[in-house]
Amino acid sequence: MMYASLLLTLLTFAAGFVMRPIGAIVLGAYIDHHGRRKGLILTLAMMAVGTLLVAAVPGYATIGVLAPLLVLAGRLLQGFSAGVELGGVSVYLSEIATPGHRGFYCAWQSASQQVAVMFAALLGLLLQRWMPTQAMNDWGWRIPFIVGCLIVPFVFVIRRSLQETEAFLARKHRLSAREIYRSMLVNWRIVGLGMAMVLMTTVSFYLITAYTPTFGKEVLKLSQSDVFVVTLCIGLSNLIWLPLMGALSDRLGRWPLLVTCTVLALLTAYPVLHWLVIEPGFSRLLGVELWLSFIYSAYNGALVVALTEIMPTDVRTAGFSLAYSLATTLGGSSLAISQWLIHLTGNNAAPGLWLSFAALCGLVATVLVYRNPQRRLQYKES
C-alpha cells in the first residue's frame, strides 16, 4: 500500500511533463515567429498562473474532488509553459553570446536552476524542522508555491527589460507556424537525436535532485535533514561546475565532453550506487551524489549549447524545445521509474541501471550527430 501511494505521488509529479512536448511545439513556434523576448514573457505569465493555481486551490474538504483536479490542471499548465522555457532562454543566451563564449553563456541557464534546487532544499529543511507533520500535510506544502509566485514580478521586470536578439531581427523571412511544424517534420532525425542526447542530462538531473529526498529517506532510511543537506550540496556543486564546463566546451568543443561524460556514467553509475546501498550513510550518499553531479554538470555544460548549434536556424527554439521536452517527459519520470525498478528487482541500486541506459542513449546519439570530423570542428568554432 505504501509503495502504491508513493508511486501515485511520483506519477502526479510526472504529469506535468506530459504537457511539455505540446508546449514545445505550440510555444516554440510562437517564439520562432514572433521573437525571443515576447516568448519569454508569455511563458513566464503562463507559469505564474499554473503555480498560483496550485498554491491557492482550496482543500478537498472544501470543494471535494475538484481540488486534486485543479492541482493537476496547474501542474499541466506549468508543464505546457516549461516545455519551451529552457529552450527559449538557451536560444536567447546563445544568440547574445560574445564570440567564443557561447557555451559559457548557455550554461548559465541550467546554472540558474540550481539556485532553485538549493533554495528548495533549504526551505524543505527549515519546514521539516519547524513545522509539525500534520501542519505540513494540511497547508505547509503550499509555502514553496507561494514563494514561487512572489518571485514572478521580479523575473517579469527583468524579461521586460530584455532586447530582442540581433540574430532574430536580422532574419528577413520568419516562418509561419505551419511552416515551422513542417520544418520540424522534415528535420525529425536531428530532433530525435537531440532527444536521445538530452535523455542523459534529464535522467541524471532528476535523480540527483528531485529523487534524492525520496531515495535517501524511503530506500536508504536516512534522516530527512540529511537528505535535504545532500540536495543542497548537489545544487551548489551543479552551480559551480556548469559554467566552468560550458566554458571548457568553448575551448575543447562539445564532442569531447559529451562522449567522455556518457562513458563515465556508463562505467560508474551502477557501481557507485551499489557501493552506496551496501552500507548506506550520509557521507557515502554525499560522495556518490557529488560524483554524479560532476558528470551531469560536465555533460550539460556542453549539451545545451550543442543543441542550439545543431538545430536549423528557422526552427531553433521549437526544435530545441521539442527534443528537450520529449526527453524530459522520460527523464522527469525517473522518480517513478526508479521506484518501480527497485520494487520490481528488489535491488536498491536499480536506479543506476536507468541512468546507464540514458547514458548509452546519449553516447549513441552524440556519435551519430558528430560522426563527421569536420562537423565536430564546425560546432567547436560556431
Side-chain angles (χ1 to χ4, degrees):
M1 183 66 181
M2 182 176 180
Y3 160 73
S5 176
L6 178 58
L7 187 61
L8 182 61
T9 301
L10 298 179
L11 286 173
T12 303
F13 172 80
F17 296 107
V18 177
M19 290 297 293
R20 290 197 179 202
I22 302 174
I25 295 172
V26 176
L27 298 178
Y30 177 89
I31 293 177
D32 280 328
H33 180 74
H34 292 283
R36 318 309 188 199
R37 177 180 175 275
K38 289 182 178 179
L40 292 178
I41 293 175
L42 176 62
T43 58
L44 177 64
M46 297 181 69
M47 179 65 73
V49 172
T51 304
L52 182 61
L53 183 60
V54 175
V57 64
Y60 185 88
T62 304
I63 60 175
V65 73
L66 191 59
L69 291 178
L70 287 175
V71 170
L72 180 61
R75 280 291 297 146
L76 294 178
L77 185 57
Q78 286 178 322
F80 184 79
S81 170
V84 78
E85 175 69 18
L86 190 145
V89 173
S90 299
V91 168
Y92 184 87
L93 291 174
S94 72
E95 292 183 350
I96 67 170
T98 55
H101 299 93
R102 187 176 294 167
F104 178 72
Y105 272 62
C106 286
W108 282 103
Q109 197 290 327
S110 298
S112 66
Q113 292 180 333
Q114 310 313 312
V115 178
V117 171
M118 290 189 293
F119 181 79
L122 182 60
L123 183 60
L125 182 62
L126 294 176
L127 291 177
Q128 183 265 332
R129 288 190 174 183
W130 292 345
M131 184 171 288
T133 302
Q134 187 59 45
M136 176 66 75
N137 293 335
D138 290 342
W139 58 270
W141 61 269
R142 299 176 187 269
I143 294 177
F145 295 99
I146 295 173
V147 172
C149 291
L150 295 176
I151 297 173
V152 168
F154 173 71
V155 181
F156 182 77
V157 170
I158 293 178
R159 293 195 175 183
R160 285 270 296 177
S161 67
L162 296 176
Q163 300 296 317
E164 187 55 76
T165 68
E166 294 183 7
F168 181 82
L169 294 175
R171 286 165 49 184
K172 296 180 180 180
H173 174 65
R174 297 171 189 173
L175 301 183
S176 66
R178 180 175 297 180
E179 290 173 319
I180 291 173
Y181 299 148
R182 186 182 301 117
S183 179
M184 285 197 291
L185 286 175
V186 171
N187 292 283
W188 64 269
R189 186 175 182 275
I190 193 64
V191 173
L193 289 174
M195 171 189 169
M197 293 171 68
V198 174
L199 187 61
M200 159 69 179
T201 203
T202 56
V203 169
S204 57
F205 174 74
Y206 284 105
L207 282 183
I208 65 176
T209 55
Y211 186 56
T212 292
T214 300
F215 184 70
K217 182 181 179 183
E218 303 295 336
V219 179
L220 302 181
K221 307 303 180 183
L222 300 180
S223 69
Q224 192 75 62
S225 58
D226 279 351
V227 295
F228 276 132
V229 169
V230 170
T231 305
L232 180 64
C233 293
I234 295 309
L236 179 59
S237 172
N238 293 344
L239 178 62
I240 294 172
W241 284 117
L242 278 164
L244 292 176
M245 294 299 107
L248 186 61
S249 77
D250 288 326
R251 290 293 189 91
L252 301 180
R254 322 307 177 201
W255 155 267
L257 283 179
L258 294 174
V259 170
T260 300
C261 292
T262 50
V263 171
L264 284 175
L266 267 172
L267 294 177
T268 66
Y270 181 79
V272 296
L273 282 177
H274 181 69
W275 174 75
L276 168 62
V277 300
I278 289 176
E279 191 177 339
F282 172 79
S283 58
R284 287 201 176 200
L285 177 62
L286 180 61
V288 168
E289 295 277 345
L290 287 176
W291 169 244
L292 295 179
S293 164
F294 171 76
I295 293 177
Y296 155 76
S297 300
Y299 184 82
N300 189 269
L303 170 73
V304 173
V305 64
L307 281 182
T308 68
E309 294 168 347
I310 66 177
M311 292 297 166
T313 304
D314 289 336
V315 293
R316 181 174 287 158
T317 305
F320 180 115
S321 299
L322 182 58
Y324 213 101
S325 60
L326 286 171
T328 303
T329 301
L330 282 174
S333 302
S334 292
L335 291 74
I337 292 173
S338 296
Q339 205 66 25
W340 174 75
L341 285 174
I342 291 173
H343 180 76
L344 180 69
T345 63
N347 181 0
N348 289 341
L353 300 175
W354 173 233
L355 179 54
S356 298
F357 170 75
L360 179 61
C361 292
L363 177 60
V364 172
T366 299
V367 171
L368 291 175
V369 169
Y370 292 98
R371 65 187 181 279
N372 186 333
Q374 291 182 343
R375 177 174 290 183
R376 301 175 199 172
L377 183 61
Q378 171 191 344
Y379 293 143
K380 177 182 177 181
E381 295 176 345
S382 61

